[in-house]
Amino acid sequence: MDSRYDPEALRVARQATATGEQVLWAGRPGAAVWLSWELAHPLGLLVVVGGSLLWNLRDRTGLLSERPGLVAVMTIPLWAFAGWLALAAWSRRKRAREVYAVTSRRVLILADDGTVRHAVGLEAAPDFRVQGRTLWLGGLDEVVAAGRGDLDGGLDRMERLPRLRGLADPERVMATIRTAAA
C-alpha cells in the first residue's frame, strides 16, 4: 500500500488526536521490497543449521534409525529458529498495518486500531533523520555512537527506536514536520 494517501489511515489518525490537534499528514508503511534484517537473521540461521543437520543426519551407519530420540534432540535448534522466524514474520506483519501521522503538535505511530504506540513531540524535530525510505524520530546519532561497542553493532538498540518505515516520499513528510515545528 502506498503511503501517499490513505483515507483509512487519516480516519484512524484523527481519532487518536488530542483536542485542538490537527492531522497534517497520515499514511501507512509501503510494501517492503527487500528482505529485512529481522527476517533474514533467523532465516539464514535456519538454513545454515538445517543444512548442516541434514548433511550430518545422513544415515550411513544405521545409528540414527536405531535412536530416534537422538534425531529429535538434534532438531531442537531447527524448531527454535523456525519459531524465531515465525515470530519475526508476525511482528513485521503487525508493523505493516501501523498508521503514521503528523499532527500540529507531534508525530504519531499508531496501531491499526488507533492505539498510540509512539508519540514524539515536534520540539524534537531537529533530531529527526531521513535515511532511505525511513524517517527516524530522534536518537539515531546517540544509538549509532553507543552501538559501536555492542556485539551486534547497535542493531538491537536501533530496533527499539521509533521510526516511520517504508515511506513513499520521506522528504515530503519531513518537510511537513519542519513546517509544523516552525
Side-chain angles (χ1 to χ4, degrees):
M1 181 177 291
D2 195 358
S3 63
R4 290 181 191 162
Y5 180 71
D6 183 350
E8 179 62 20
L10 187 59
R11 184 191 64 75
V12 170
R14 284 184 176 147
Q15 289 177 343
T17 58
T19 306
E21 196 172 18
Q22 178 185 0
V23 177
L24 306 174
W25 175 86
R28 294 182 189 266
V33 177
W34 300 103
L35 189 61
S36 68
W37 174 253
E38 68 181 335
L39 290 177
H41 194 171
L43 180 62
L45 289 170
L46 184 64
V47 168
V48 168
V49 171
S52 65
L53 277 175
L54 285 173
W55 180 259
N56 289 311
L57 287 179
R58 293 174 298 148
D59 196 9
R60 292 186 208 146
T61 63
L63 175 69
L64 296 175
S65 57
E66 296 171 4
R67 297 194 173 142
L70 180 64
V71 174
V73 169
M74 290 177 71
T75 60
I76 288 173
L78 277 179
W79 290 108
F81 291 133
W84 184 15
L85 179 63
L87 186 61
W90 175 78
S91 173
R92 183 182 173 121
R93 180 181 166 104
K94 184 176 167 185
R95 229 183 6 261
R97 294 189 312 255
E98 289 179 332
V99 173
Y100 302 145
V102 177
T103 71
S104 53
R105 296 183 194 160
R106 55 197 174 145
V107 178
L108 300 170
I109 300 175
L110 308 166
D112 60 345
D113 65 354
T115 306
V116 177
R117 288 197 177 148
H118 293 284
V120 180
L122 292 181
E123 64 277 356
D127 295 332
F128 294 0
R129 301 280 181 267
V130 173
Q131 190 175 46
R133 293 180 54 199
T134 301
L135 177 62
W136 296 86
L137 302 177
L140 183 62
D141 296 335
E142 294 83 15
V143 165
V144 169
R148 289 191 177 125
D150 292 348
L151 201 54
D152 67 351
L155 288 174
D156 185 53
R157 293 175 192 243
M158 290 177 80
E159 279 300 313
R160 289 184 256 142
L161 285 177
R163 62 190 175 266
L164 310 183
R165 304 172 195 223
L167 299 175
D169 192 356
E171 294 296 336
R172 186 179 68 120
V173 175
M174 187 66 178
T176 303
I177 291 170
R178 285 187 189 120
T179 302

